[in-house]
Amino acid sequence: MVSVRPSGYALQAMYGSPDARALHALSPAIDLHADSLMWSRWVGYDLHVRHDPPLPWAAIGGHVDVPRLIEGGIGAQFFGLVSLPVGQRRGLAAVIYEQIDELEKAARARPDRLIKARTAADIETATKRGAVAALLGIEGAHALEGEIEQLERFARRGVRYLGLCHFSANEACFPAYGQGRRDGQGLTPFGREVVRRCEELGVIVDLAHINRSGFLEACEMATKPPMVSHTGVLGAFAHWRNIDDDQLRAVADRGGCVGVIFCPQFLGGEGLEPVVRHLRHIIDVVGEDTPALGSDWDGFIIPTRDLCDAARLPLLTDALLAAGFSENVIRKLLRDNALRVIRDNPVPS
C-alpha cells in the first residue's frame, strides 16, 4: 500500500465539531460577499497563501484566502468588486477590471484549488474537484459610469451580481446611508433600465446598501430572484444598515435570499449569538428558504471574534445546531438558498 502524506491544507487546525464539519462536507457553504480582491489589487494579497497569524491590518482585512476557505468548509466565495473613492465618477470600471484580472490570475496559478465560476453547475464541478468556486459581484452601480453597455461588458467577464448602491448616490439609485442620501426617492430611470438589463444578462440584482424606496421598487420590478448580499435585519437589531421585515418579505416573495453579515456593529453584539439571532429572525418572518451567509470579510469591518476568518465558519454551524436549527435548515442557509438564486438567474447561452 502506498502511503500518501496529507497536504498542508489537511494538516491545519480544524474548527468546529465533527457534526458541523460533516454538514459542511455535505453542503459546502456559499458566502455572498468578501472584498479580498480589493487587497489583491492594492497590496498584492495572495489568495493562495494561508495568512496565519493574521496580517497586521486583520481588523479590516486578511480574513479570506483559499486555504482557510477550504478549512472552513466553504465551497464558493463571491468576491465583491469595489471601486473607490466614494464620489468618484470616472475610472471606476477600470478598477473593476483590474480586480477581475487578479482573480483570473489566481485561478490560473492553482486551478486545482480555485476555479472562476459563473453558474450553479460550475460551483458543483468545483465541489467535486475539491476546489473553491470563485464568483464575482460588483458593489455599486457607480462602476457602470452611467453606461448600460458597461454592464454587458462586466457580464461577459463573469460578473454574477450587481449591487445597485454602495455608500454614495449614483446614476441608478441612492444609498441607505452616505453621500447623496435621499430616503424618499427610488430608482432613477437609468436604475430601472439597469434592473431590467441585469435580468436579461443573468446578473443577479443585489440590494445591499440601497435605500428602502429603491429596494422595494427593485423588488416590485423583479421577475427573477434578487439577493441582499450582506446585511443585518432590523427585527434583530435596530441600525441604519439593516433591512426591515417588509424588505425581507419583498425579497422572499420573489424567491431571493438574504446574506447575514458578520460585523458586530450591525448585529448588535459580539460572538455567535447575534449572528444566530439575525438568521432566526429571517426564518421567523419569511421562512427557511431565504437566509444565507454574507460575511463582508475583508471589507473594512472588524468581524465578530468567533468568525474572524473563513476557517472558523463551522463554529457558526455548531452554534446553529446548539440553538436547535435542523440539519436541513442549516444546509439551506449554508448553501442551498444561495445556489437556488444563482440557478434561477441563468446566464444566457
Side-chain angles (χ1 to χ4, degrees):
M1 181 180 293
V2 178
S3 174
V4 179
R5 185 176 185 271
S7 71
Y9 295 91
L11 292 173
Q12 299 296 341
M14 301 292 286
Y15 294 94
S17 70
D19 287 344
R21 294 198 298 272
L23 277 173
H24 283 251
L26 289 170
S27 297
I30 299 174
D31 178 56
L32 297 179
H33 194 84
D35 291 316
S36 316
L37 295 176
M38 171 178 64
W39 298 104
S40 295
R41 174 181 174 267
W42 279 350
V43 298
Y45 184 77
D46 189 343
L47 287 175
H48 291 296
V49 173
R50 190 185 195 283
H51 299 273
D52 185 22
L55 297 173
W57 56 85
I60 57 174
H63 309 139
V64 170
D65 51 53
V66 173
R68 286 182 291 172
L69 288 168
I70 292 172
E71 290 171 33
I74 299 172
Q77 178 66 62
F78 271 95
F79 289 101
L81 304 172
V82 182
S83 53
L84 298 171
V86 170
Q88 184 174 325
R89 280 290 182 264
R90 288 292 175 262
L92 301 176
V95 174
I96 300 298
Y97 289 124
E98 288 169 7
Q99 291 169 83
I100 297 173
D101 291 343
E102 288 293 331
L103 175 64
E104 292 178 346
K105 180 172 67 175
R108 287 193 301 269
R110 289 296 306 271
D112 58 322
R113 289 292 180 181
L114 186 68
I115 295 173
K116 183 184 176 186
R118 298 181 74 196
T119 67
D122 292 341
I123 295 172
E124 299 286 17
T125 297
T127 297
K128 290 175 183 176
R129 295 179 183 176
V132 174
L135 298 100
L136 297 168
I138 292 176
E139 190 162 28
H142 51 282
L144 302 180
E145 299 181 350
E147 299 176 3
I148 200 69
E149 295 79 13
Q150 195 65 257
L151 177 62
E152 296 160 6
R153 289 191 283 271
F154 287 143
R156 287 196 293 271
R157 289 294 302 272
V159 168
R160 283 312 323 270
Y161 73 62
L162 174 70
L164 296 180
C165 215
H166 200 196
F167 284 117
S168 62
N170 60 59
E171 293 86 350
C173 59
F174 303 91
Y177 181 86
Q179 183 177 310
R181 175 179 173 183
R182 297 183 190 177
D183 290 346
Q185 192 156 338
L187 301 175
T188 68
F190 179 70
R192 291 189 286 276
E193 182 183 7
V194 167
V195 170
R196 286 190 291 268
R197 192 67 181 125
C198 278
E199 293 195 336
E200 293 169 354
L201 294 167
V203 175
I204 301 163
V205 174
D206 175 24
L207 300 171
H209 289 289
I210 191 172
N211 68 0
R212 187 175 187 275
S213 297
F215 185 113
L216 295 175
E217 185 177 354
C219 287
E220 185 176 351
M221 290 182 61
T223 64
K224 294 180 181 176
M227 69 165 55
V228 188
S229 62
H230 55 303
T231 189
V233 291
L234 280 169
F237 180 65
H239 194 282
W240 63 261
R241 180 69 177 80
N242 298 342
I243 62 175
D244 65 29
D245 290 356
D246 286 340
Q247 291 171 287
L248 284 176
R249 293 185 187 98
V251 173
D253 286 348
R254 286 147 187 85
C257 66
V258 175
V260 169
I261 200 168
F262 294 168
C263 180
Q265 179 182 357
F266 309 131
L267 295 170
E270 261 289 0
L272 296 170
E273 189 279 330
V275 185
V276 173
R277 186 170 69 246
H278 283 248
L279 290 166
R280 186 184 294 282
H281 182 80
I282 295 172
I283 293 170
D284 288 345
V285 173
V286 293
E288 63 193 40
D289 294 331
T290 303
L293 305 176
S295 67
D296 204 17
W297 280 318
D298 290 341
F300 285 97
I301 68 159
I302 302 174
T304 193
R305 58 176 177 265
D306 298 302
L307 297 172
C308 63
D309 70 8
R312 289 166 168 79
L313 187 61
L315 296 175
L316 174 59
T317 302
D318 273 325
L320 293 167
L321 287 167
F325 285 61
S326 72
E327 292 187 2
N328 182 58
V329 168
I330 292 171
R331 291 179 65 178
K332 284 185 174 185
L333 68 86
L334 286 178
R335 181 180 179 90
D336 294 349
N337 293 341
L339 196 65
R340 183 196 69 247
V341 171
I342 295 165
R343 187 177 291 116
D344 289 348
N345 284 269
V347 177
S349 57

